[in-house]
Amino acid sequence: MANYQTISPESLQARIHEVLLVDVRGTGETARGIIKGAKLIPLHLVPMNVHEFKSAKDVVIYCHSGARSAQACQFLAGQGISNLFNLEGGVMYWAGAGLPLVAPD
């Protein structure tokens, strides 16, 4: 059973300024565009950066399709983090909904 929730691209867009947004894709993927304001923490580095996910805000994690971000959510939930959301469909659904991607900093 998942200890996190999913969030649709449209719901995320409405809450974008009130969440901690984390992209768990690799650098080759993020070079093609990220959701504005996202922190970049590749999936394989999540275990070493658990402290980055401890936030008073809700934490929304995303990847390309939602599979790797679901793994990250499951792992982080096991570390006691409870305010987790997985972006439904990842950047594929985000871009498919006509929402913008920007170049990473």
Side-chain angles (χ1 to χ4, degrees):
M1 179 179 227
N3 294 319
Y4 58 89
Q5 300 175 53
T6 58
I7 187 169
S8 70
E10 296 80 9
S11 294
L12 173 57
Q13 183 187 35
R15 299 189 58 208
I16 198 83
H17 297 294
E18 60 189 57
V19 302
L20 171 62
L21 187 59
V22 180
D23 188 326
V24 296
R25 297 176 298 155
T27 54
E29 293 173 284
T30 58
R32 293 189 291 254
I34 66 168
I35 299 172
K36 186 175 182 173
K39 284 184 141 188
L40 308 180
I41 304 176
L43 181 62
H44 71 281
L45 296 177
V46 168
M48 293 175 277
N49 289 284
V50 171
H51 64 281
E52 296 280 347
F53 297 88
K54 293 180 180 175
S55 173
K57 297 179 176 182
D58 287 337
V59 179
V60 178
I61 303 175
Y62 74 92
C63 63
H64 180 70
S65 67
R68 285 174 285 171
S69 49
Q71 290 176 351
C73 285
Q74 193 66 42
F75 171 79
L76 292 165
Q79 302 302 305
I81 298 172
S82 60
N83 52 337
L84 296 167
F85 291 81
N86 183 25
L87 177 59
E88 179 185 10
V91 293
M92 283 190 337
Y93 280 23
W94 177 268
L99 299 169
L101 295 173
V102 298
D105 293 334

